[in-house]
Amino acid sequence: MLVQALRAYVSKHGDGAAGWIGALSDLQIGEALTLMHRDVAHGWTVGELASAVAMSRSAFALRFKAMVGVAPLEYLRRCRMQLAEDALRRKACSVAALAVRVGYSSESAFGNAYKHTFGRSPKRYRPAV
């Protein structure tokens, strides 16, 4: 429902809407964003996303970056990290459980990505349980 509301906003305000909100008005890029948000833990590849929205891999990657401002997998990584940071602040679960929830195969891989993004360990917020 939120995606539909945002699409309606973008269609009303035309090309003035930028970033991922503007990208939602594009049927293919908007669908790719919806897929990523619907299943953030999925091991998405650029090829899989492109195929899901009936585009070639290179055309999809170029259009996505032009509309959203970052490459598709960078966008996905940022989404995962934002969700992770929120969950850690709320103390929603252990770091190990959170790693799986946001699409990392191990707590270590998640910890490295988190530290790369935020400059600190995720365990700063919550010790592993």
Side-chain angles (χ1 to χ4, degrees):
M1 186 184 310
L2 174 62
V3 171
Q4 295 302 325
L6 289 170
R7 282 185 178 148
Y9 170 84
V10 169
S11 67
K12 181 178 179 182
H13 291 88
D15 294 335
W20 69 268
I21 292 177
L24 287 173
S25 65
D26 182 275
L27 291 177
Q28 291 165 305
I29 302 304
E31 179 62 21
L33 288 166
T34 299
L35 290 169
M36 285 189 274
H37 283 271
R38 195 176 288 151
D39 191 359
V40 73
H42 182 77
W44 295 108
T45 65
V46 173
E48 183 179 14
L49 288 164
S51 178
V53 298
M55 292 180 75
S56 73
R57 187 180 177 279
S58 58
F60 170 74
L62 287 171
R63 189 148 120 208
F64 190 99
K65 187 169 185 177
M67 296 190 86
V68 179
V70 295
L73 298 184
E74 173 63 15
Y75 178 85
L76 179 61
R77 184 189 63 78
R78 289 179 183 184
C79 286
R80 288 172 170 176
M81 292 298 106
Q82 288 172 346
L83 290 171
E85 186 172 42
D86 181 58
L88 288 167
R89 286 184 192 276
R90 290 183 293 108
K91 299 179 180 355
C93 60
S94 71
V95 173
L98 181 57
V100 172
R101 186 188 301 173
V102 296
Y104 287 86
S105 58
S106 70
E107 184 177 347
S108 175
F110 168 71
N112 289 335
Y114 190 92
K115 189 169 185 177
H116 176 76
T117 302
F118 296 111
R120 62 187 177 274
S121 166
K123 291 184 180 185
R124 174 177 174 236
Y125 290 103
R126 177 141 174 128
V129 175

